[in-house]
Every structure is written in structure tokens, then in C-alpha cells.
Short mmCIF file of all heavy atoms in Angstrom, two decimals:
data_model
loop_
_atom_site.label_atom_id
_atom_site.label_comp_id
_atom_site.label_asym_id
_atom_site.label_seq_id
_atom_site.Cartn_x
_atom_site.Cartn_y
_atom_site.Cartn_z
N LEU A 1 66.92 -3.73 43.76
CA LEU A 1 65.47 -3.73 43.72
C LEU A 1 64.95 -3.51 45.12
O LEU A 1 63.97 -2.66 45.43
CB LEU A 1 64.77 -4.95 43.14
CG LEU A 1 64.98 -5.07 41.53
CD1 LEU A 1 64.68 -6.45 41.11
CD2 LEU A 1 63.98 -4.02 40.83
N ALA A 2 65.33 -4.32 46.07
CA ALA A 2 64.92 -4.19 47.53
C ALA A 2 65.30 -2.78 48.02
O ALA A 2 64.48 -2.23 48.82
CB ALA A 2 65.59 -5.29 48.25
N HIS A 3 66.41 -2.28 47.65
CA HIS A 3 66.93 -0.99 48.09
C HIS A 3 65.94 0.12 47.70
O HIS A 3 65.65 1.05 48.38
CB HIS A 3 68.22 -0.72 47.55
CG HIS A 3 68.81 0.65 47.87
ND1 HIS A 3 69.90 0.71 48.98
CD2 HIS A 3 68.61 1.88 47.53
CE1 HIS A 3 70.25 1.99 49.08
NE2 HIS A 3 69.53 2.72 48.33
N LYS A 4 65.52 -0.08 46.44
CA LYS A 4 64.57 0.92 45.84
C LYS A 4 63.05 0.65 46.30
O LYS A 4 62.18 1.48 45.96
CB LYS A 4 64.58 0.76 44.19
CG LYS A 4 65.78 1.45 43.69
CD LYS A 4 65.60 2.93 43.52
CE LYS A 4 66.71 3.61 42.66
NZ LYS A 4 66.60 5.06 42.73
N GLY A 5 62.86 -0.49 47.12
CA GLY A 5 61.52 -0.69 47.47
C GLY A 5 60.64 -1.12 46.32
O GLY A 5 59.40 -1.07 46.29
N LEU A 6 61.30 -1.83 45.39
CA LEU A 6 60.56 -2.34 44.24
C LEU A 6 60.48 -3.91 44.15
O LEU A 6 61.36 -4.64 44.58
CB LEU A 6 61.16 -1.98 42.84
CG LEU A 6 61.35 -0.47 42.62
CD1 LEU A 6 62.29 -0.15 41.52
CD2 LEU A 6 59.96 0.14 42.24
N ASP A 7 59.32 -4.37 43.83
CA ASP A 7 59.00 -5.85 43.58
C ASP A 7 59.14 -6.24 42.23
O ASP A 7 58.69 -5.59 41.37
CB ASP A 7 57.69 -6.23 44.21
CG ASP A 7 57.48 -6.03 45.69
OD1 ASP A 7 58.47 -6.23 46.40
OD2 ASP A 7 56.51 -5.52 46.12
N ALA A 8 59.88 -7.34 42.07
CA ALA A 8 59.96 -7.94 40.74
C ALA A 8 59.62 -9.48 40.73
O ALA A 8 60.11 -10.24 41.57
CB ALA A 8 61.33 -7.71 40.08
N THR A 9 58.79 -9.96 39.78
CA THR A 9 58.57 -11.38 39.70
C THR A 9 59.75 -12.01 38.97
O THR A 9 60.29 -11.64 38.06
CB THR A 9 57.36 -11.60 38.83
OG1 THR A 9 56.19 -10.97 39.43
CG2 THR A 9 57.06 -13.10 38.70
N SER A 10 60.23 -13.03 39.78
CA SER A 10 61.32 -13.82 39.35
C SER A 10 60.98 -14.86 38.16
O SER A 10 59.89 -15.43 38.28
CB SER A 10 61.96 -14.59 40.48
OG SER A 10 63.12 -15.45 39.93
N ILE A 11 61.69 -14.86 37.12
CA ILE A 11 61.55 -15.69 35.97
C ILE A 11 62.73 -16.57 35.99
O ILE A 11 63.82 -16.18 35.61
CB ILE A 11 61.39 -15.04 34.67
CG1 ILE A 11 60.21 -13.97 34.70
CG2 ILE A 11 61.18 -16.09 33.55
CD1 ILE A 11 60.15 -13.12 33.40
N PRO A 12 62.58 -17.91 36.46
CA PRO A 12 63.84 -18.80 36.52
C PRO A 12 64.34 -19.00 35.00
O PRO A 12 63.59 -19.28 34.07
CB PRO A 12 63.21 -20.03 37.08
CG PRO A 12 62.08 -19.63 37.77
CD PRO A 12 61.43 -18.45 37.05
N TRP A 13 65.74 -18.95 34.97
CA TRP A 13 66.34 -19.18 33.60
C TRP A 13 67.63 -20.07 33.89
O TRP A 13 68.11 -19.95 34.90
CB TRP A 13 66.72 -17.75 33.14
CG TRP A 13 67.45 -17.72 31.82
CD1 TRP A 13 66.79 -17.69 30.57
CD2 TRP A 13 68.79 -17.83 31.62
NE1 TRP A 13 67.85 -17.74 29.52
CE2 TRP A 13 69.06 -17.76 30.13
CE3 TRP A 13 69.97 -17.81 32.37
CZ2 TRP A 13 70.24 -17.86 29.58
CZ3 TRP A 13 71.19 -17.90 31.87
CH2 TRP A 13 71.42 -17.97 30.50
N ARG A 14 67.79 -20.83 32.83
CA ARG A 14 69.05 -21.74 32.89
C ARG A 14 70.01 -21.46 31.70
O ARG A 14 69.55 -20.99 30.70
CB ARG A 14 68.67 -23.26 33.02
CG ARG A 14 67.87 -23.42 34.36
CD ARG A 14 67.18 -24.86 34.36
NE ARG A 14 66.64 -25.11 35.65
CZ ARG A 14 65.28 -24.85 35.96
NH1 ARG A 14 64.54 -24.24 35.00
NH2 ARG A 14 64.81 -25.09 37.11
N PHE A 15 71.21 -21.98 31.90
CA PHE A 15 72.31 -21.75 30.87
C PHE A 15 71.86 -22.03 29.47
O PHE A 15 72.18 -21.37 28.54
CB PHE A 15 73.54 -22.45 31.21
CG PHE A 15 74.38 -22.00 32.41
CD1 PHE A 15 74.40 -22.70 33.54
CD2 PHE A 15 74.84 -20.62 32.32
CE1 PHE A 15 75.12 -22.17 34.65
CE2 PHE A 15 75.56 -20.21 33.35
CZ PHE A 15 75.78 -20.98 34.57
N THR A 16 71.10 -23.17 29.21
CA THR A 16 70.81 -23.51 27.94
C THR A 16 69.40 -23.12 27.37
O THR A 16 68.93 -23.47 26.35
CB THR A 16 70.77 -25.14 27.88
OG1 THR A 16 69.78 -25.62 28.84
CG2 THR A 16 72.06 -25.77 28.09
N GLU A 17 68.90 -22.10 28.13
CA GLU A 17 67.64 -21.45 27.71
C GLU A 17 67.81 -20.16 27.04
O GLU A 17 67.01 -19.08 27.28
CB GLU A 17 66.62 -21.34 28.92
CG GLU A 17 66.32 -22.80 29.52
CD GLU A 17 65.52 -22.72 30.76
OE1 GLU A 17 65.48 -21.70 31.40
OE2 GLU A 17 64.88 -23.69 31.10
N LYS A 18 68.76 -19.91 26.20
CA LYS A 18 69.20 -18.65 25.64
C LYS A 18 68.01 -18.10 24.80
O LYS A 18 67.86 -16.84 24.66
CB LYS A 18 70.45 -18.74 24.85
CG LYS A 18 71.63 -19.07 25.82
CD LYS A 18 72.96 -19.10 25.12
CE LYS A 18 74.06 -19.45 26.01
NZ LYS A 18 74.24 -18.50 27.18
N GLY A 19 67.25 -19.00 24.18
CA GLY A 19 66.08 -18.58 23.25
C GLY A 19 65.08 -17.65 24.07
O GLY A 19 64.40 -16.88 23.48
N ALA A 20 65.00 -18.00 25.41
CA ALA A 20 63.94 -17.18 26.24
C ALA A 20 64.31 -15.76 26.42
O ALA A 20 63.36 -14.84 26.61
CB ALA A 20 63.83 -17.84 27.64
N ILE A 21 65.53 -15.43 26.35
CA ILE A 21 65.97 -13.96 26.48
C ILE A 21 66.61 -13.38 25.16
O ILE A 21 66.79 -12.25 25.17
CB ILE A 21 66.98 -13.81 27.65
CG1 ILE A 21 68.25 -14.69 27.45
CG2 ILE A 21 66.39 -14.16 28.94
CD1 ILE A 21 69.43 -14.51 28.44
N SER A 22 66.69 -14.16 24.16
CA SER A 22 67.16 -13.55 22.86
C SER A 22 66.30 -12.49 22.33
O SER A 22 66.83 -11.55 21.68
CB SER A 22 67.39 -14.71 21.75
OG SER A 22 66.11 -15.23 21.50
N PRO A 23 64.94 -12.55 22.55
CA PRO A 23 64.06 -11.27 22.15
C PRO A 23 64.50 -10.01 22.80
O PRO A 23 64.13 -8.98 22.21
CB PRO A 23 62.68 -11.80 22.51
CG PRO A 23 62.72 -13.21 22.57
CD PRO A 23 64.06 -13.49 23.13
N TYR A 24 65.18 -10.14 23.88
CA TYR A 24 65.67 -8.87 24.65
C TYR A 24 67.15 -8.54 24.38
O TYR A 24 67.79 -7.78 25.05
CB TYR A 24 65.42 -9.06 26.08
CG TYR A 24 63.98 -9.46 26.37
CD1 TYR A 24 63.86 -10.89 26.92
CD2 TYR A 24 62.91 -8.81 26.12
CE1 TYR A 24 62.55 -11.28 27.17
CE2 TYR A 24 61.68 -9.21 26.29
CZ TYR A 24 61.46 -10.53 26.81
OH TYR A 24 60.22 -10.95 27.05
N ASN A 25 67.67 -9.11 23.23
CA ASN A 25 68.94 -8.84 22.65
C ASN A 25 70.13 -9.31 23.85
O ASN A 25 71.06 -8.51 24.01
CB ASN A 25 69.16 -7.44 22.32
CG ASN A 25 68.22 -7.03 21.19
OD1 ASN A 25 68.24 -7.75 20.16
ND2 ASN A 25 67.43 -5.96 21.29
N SER A 26 69.87 -10.27 24.42
CA SER A 26 70.86 -10.74 25.49
C SER A 26 70.98 -12.37 25.45
O SER A 26 70.06 -13.04 25.14
CB SER A 26 70.43 -10.32 26.89
OG SER A 26 71.33 -10.65 27.83
N GLU A 27 72.18 -12.76 25.82
CA GLU A 27 72.39 -14.12 25.92
C GLU A 27 72.62 -14.51 27.45
O GLU A 27 72.86 -15.70 27.68
CB GLU A 27 73.60 -14.60 25.05
CG GLU A 27 73.46 -14.49 23.68
CD GLU A 27 74.66 -14.95 22.89
OE1 GLU A 27 75.61 -15.26 23.43
OE2 GLU A 27 74.33 -15.20 21.54
N LYS A 28 72.71 -13.50 28.25
CA LYS A 28 72.94 -13.71 29.73
C LYS A 28 72.01 -13.00 30.60
O LYS A 28 71.36 -11.96 30.07
CB LYS A 28 74.43 -13.24 30.05
CG LYS A 28 75.49 -13.84 29.26
CD LYS A 28 76.83 -13.32 29.55
CE LYS A 28 77.92 -13.90 28.80
NZ LYS A 28 79.24 -13.32 29.05
N VAL A 29 71.84 -13.41 31.82
CA VAL A 29 70.98 -12.71 32.75
C VAL A 29 71.95 -11.89 33.73
O VAL A 29 73.10 -12.33 33.80
CB VAL A 29 70.14 -13.72 33.54
CG1 VAL A 29 69.08 -14.35 32.65
CG2 VAL A 29 70.89 -14.82 34.18
N PRO A 30 71.42 -10.98 34.38
CA PRO A 30 69.91 -10.66 34.50
C PRO A 30 69.32 -9.77 33.30
O PRO A 30 70.11 -9.10 32.61
CB PRO A 30 69.86 -9.70 35.71
CG PRO A 30 71.25 -9.01 35.70
CD PRO A 30 72.21 -9.99 35.20
N VAL A 31 68.06 -9.98 33.07
CA VAL A 31 67.24 -9.18 32.12
C VAL A 31 66.10 -8.65 32.85
O VAL A 31 65.31 -9.46 33.43
CB VAL A 31 66.82 -9.99 30.84
CG1 VAL A 31 65.94 -9.13 30.02
CG2 VAL A 31 68.06 -10.44 30.11
N LEU A 32 65.97 -7.33 32.92
CA LEU A 32 64.73 -6.78 33.58
C LEU A 32 63.81 -6.36 32.66
O LEU A 32 64.16 -5.68 31.57
CB LEU A 32 65.23 -5.64 34.42
CG LEU A 32 64.12 -4.82 35.17
CD1 LEU A 32 63.69 -5.66 36.45
CD2 LEU A 32 64.57 -3.48 35.65
N LEU A 33 62.54 -6.71 32.89
CA LEU A 33 61.38 -6.33 32.09
C LEU A 33 60.50 -5.24 32.85
O LEU A 33 60.17 -5.68 33.99
CB LEU A 33 60.53 -7.39 31.58
CG LEU A 33 61.26 -8.61 30.78
CD1 LEU A 33 60.27 -9.68 30.53
CD2 LEU A 33 62.05 -8.10 29.67
N ASP A 34 60.40 -4.12 32.30
CA ASP A 34 59.54 -3.07 32.98
C ASP A 34 58.52 -2.53 32.00
O ASP A 34 58.85 -1.59 31.15
CB ASP A 34 60.41 -1.90 33.50
CG ASP A 34 59.71 -0.90 34.38
OD1 ASP A 34 58.47 -1.11 34.59
OD2 ASP A 34 60.29 0.02 34.88
N GLY A 35 57.31 -3.19 32.00
CA GLY A 35 56.36 -2.84 30.98
C GLY A 35 56.96 -3.24 29.65
O GLY A 35 57.22 -4.41 29.46
N ASP A 36 56.87 -2.38 28.65
CA ASP A 36 57.46 -2.68 27.34
C ASP A 36 58.96 -2.41 27.21
O ASP A 36 59.45 -2.55 26.08
CB ASP A 36 56.60 -1.89 26.31
CG ASP A 36 56.86 -0.36 26.43
OD1 ASP A 36 57.45 0.08 27.44
OD2 ASP A 36 56.24 0.38 25.61
N LYS A 37 59.53 -2.11 28.24
CA LYS A 37 61.03 -1.87 28.20
C LYS A 37 61.79 -3.16 28.76
O LYS A 37 61.30 -3.80 29.62
CB LYS A 37 61.39 -0.70 29.16
CG LYS A 37 60.82 0.65 28.74
CD LYS A 37 61.28 1.73 29.70
CE LYS A 37 60.67 3.08 29.42
NZ LYS A 37 61.07 3.49 28.07
N SER A 38 62.93 -3.40 28.17
CA SER A 38 63.79 -4.47 28.64
C SER A 38 65.19 -3.91 28.82
O SER A 38 65.66 -3.12 28.00
CB SER A 38 63.84 -5.65 27.65
OG SER A 38 64.32 -5.29 26.43
N VAL A 39 65.83 -4.36 29.89
CA VAL A 39 67.27 -3.92 30.14
C VAL A 39 67.99 -5.05 30.57
O VAL A 39 67.72 -5.96 31.38
CB VAL A 39 67.31 -2.81 31.26
CG1 VAL A 39 68.62 -2.27 31.25
CG2 VAL A 39 66.23 -1.75 31.11
N ALA A 40 69.13 -5.34 29.74
CA ALA A 40 70.10 -6.41 30.10
C ALA A 40 71.41 -5.89 30.61
O ALA A 40 71.81 -4.81 30.41
CB ALA A 40 70.32 -7.25 28.82
N ASP A 41 72.10 -6.76 31.46
CA ASP A 41 73.36 -6.42 32.11
C ASP A 41 73.14 -5.60 33.44
O ASP A 41 72.34 -4.66 33.54
CB ASP A 41 74.26 -5.56 31.18
CG ASP A 41 75.55 -5.14 31.87
OD1 ASP A 41 76.52 -6.07 31.93
OD2 ASP A 41 75.66 -4.07 32.46
N SER A 42 73.81 -6.22 34.43
CA SER A 42 73.33 -5.71 35.82
C SER A 42 73.75 -4.19 35.91
O SER A 42 73.08 -3.47 36.64
CB SER A 42 74.16 -6.51 36.92
OG SER A 42 75.69 -6.37 36.70
N TRP A 43 74.95 -3.79 35.41
CA TRP A 43 75.30 -2.29 35.55
C TRP A 43 74.29 -1.38 34.83
O TRP A 43 73.88 -0.40 35.31
CB TRP A 43 76.65 -2.13 34.99
CG TRP A 43 77.02 -0.61 35.02
CD1 TRP A 43 77.32 0.23 33.98
CD2 TRP A 43 77.23 0.11 36.28
NE1 TRP A 43 77.57 1.42 34.44
CE2 TRP A 43 77.65 1.46 35.91
CE3 TRP A 43 77.24 -0.14 37.65
CZ2 TRP A 43 77.97 2.45 36.77
CZ3 TRP A 43 77.59 0.88 38.43
CH2 TRP A 43 77.91 2.20 38.14
N ALA A 44 73.88 -1.84 33.66
CA ALA A 44 72.84 -1.15 32.86
C ALA A 44 71.49 -1.11 33.68
O ALA A 44 70.79 -0.15 33.67
CB ALA A 44 72.60 -1.71 31.42
#
């Protein structure tokens, strides 16, 4: 993100908070939200 010159608000997440990211079809972070888009997995 820094390389691209993009700012992103950090949302702190912990191992047992899987419900917070389950709406984005992921059980692990990172999960990026860009408007109405969500992308999970660092390579993706």
C-alpha cells in the first residue's frame, strides 16, 4: 500500500475474532476492503 501511495485504515483483528471477517469469505487476515469490494489473501 505504501509503495502504491495508498492509505488504508487499520482494523485490528485477533485470532478468535473470525466472525468479523467471515462476511468476506475469509477466516484469516489480511482482508482489504475497497468500497463495496473485499479481497482476502495477501497475494490476491
Side-chain angles (χ1 to χ4, degrees):
L1 287 163
H3 182 105
K4 283 283 190 182
L6 296 167
D7 293 323
T9 300
S10 177
I11 305 175
W13 180 90
R14 296 173 175 88
F15 286 115
T16 55
E17 297 174 343
K18 296 188 184 297
I21 56 175
S22 61
Y24 310 113
N25 298 312
S26 184
E27 293 185 346
K28 301 176 181 178
V29 291
V31 174
L32 180 74
L33 306 181
D34 187 2
D36 60 356
K37 298 181 184 295
S38 65
V39 190
D41 179 78
S42 60
W43 178 249

